[in-house]
Amino acid sequence: MTTRGVLYVHSAPRALCPHVEWAVAGVLGTRVNLDWIRQPAAPGTWRSEFSWQGEAGTASKLASALRGWHLLRFEVTAEPCPTAEGERYSCTPDLGIFHAVTGIHGDILIPEDRLRAALLRSQRGETDLEAEIARLLGKPWDDELEPFRYAGEGAPVRWLHQVV
């Protein structure tokens, strides 16, 4: 089964751009040329977005290929398909990588065991339940990436809306 998704490179230093293209090409098994535009939220960096189609699990392969490059901010999404839920990966230099399973309407689906663990940590006084749930929903990543999601006047933008 195939699915589709989008890779959003929110910011990358110019020297890293060809490496991003090579990494994406390696995952997809085809040559990739991204259209890079300046990222006004971080002068000296570039942004791009790329729609892809591939087997279920491609989003995780793309995220794995790009994670660990300290100066790179990106998100990868995959739509649900008959054999797999949708996915969303977000990555920032400061926070590392976030993964969420998404349903057919784009909502984040939090597995029961992760909710139980968050509740247990809260009951033990190790953490605040509200902060735990915010983390499970990816709020720290959303907060850090939001200024980068807007690319500037005249640029193609796909907004990732936060559901409230």
Side-chain angles (χ1 to χ4, degrees), residues 96-162:
I97 201 153
F98 167 78
H99 172 254
V101 174
T102 57
I104 61 171
H105 300 293
D107 297 329
I108 292 177
L109 308 175
I110 302 172
E112 168 182 343
D113 61 333
R114 292 183 73 192
L115 284 171
R116 288 182 195 278
L119 184 58
L120 184 61
R121 283 190 298 276
S122 174
Q123 289 171 340
R124 289 181 183 162
E126 298 170 10
T127 186
D128 175 66
L129 183 58
E130 186 176 343
E132 281 287 308
I133 291 174
R135 188 166 176 79
L136 289 172
L137 292 171
K139 185 173 179 349
W141 287 265
D142 285 338
D143 291 346
E144 188 169 325
L145 289 173
E146 191 59 33
F148 295 90
R149 289 178 177 148
Y150 176 71
E153 186 176 329
V157 176
R158 293 186 187 166
W159 290 98
L160 300 176
H161 296 284
Q162 185 176 14

Side-chain angles (χ1 to χ4, degrees), residues 11-88:
S11 70
R14 187 68 178 154
L16 196 54
C17 295
H19 299 282
V20 170
E21 291 181 5
W22 296 330
V24 173
V27 170
L28 299 178
T30 186
R31 185 181 166 116
V32 172
N33 290 310
L34 301 178
D35 293 324
W36 296 96
I37 59 173
R38 293 186 187 277
Q39 172 53 274
T45 66
W46 297 78
R47 72 174 309 278
S48 186
E49 63 182 63
F50 179 73
S51 296
W52 56 269
Q53 185 169 341
E55 295 179 8
T58 299
S60 65
K61 291 176 184 174
L62 287 168
S64 292
L66 298 176
R67 78 180 288 172
W69 290 346
H70 180 67
L71 299 175
L72 187 64
R73 288 177 181 85
F74 69 88
E75 291 181 277
V76 182
T77 63
E79 294 179 359
C81 66
T83 59
E85 299 285 356
E87 295 182 282
R88 175 182 154 210

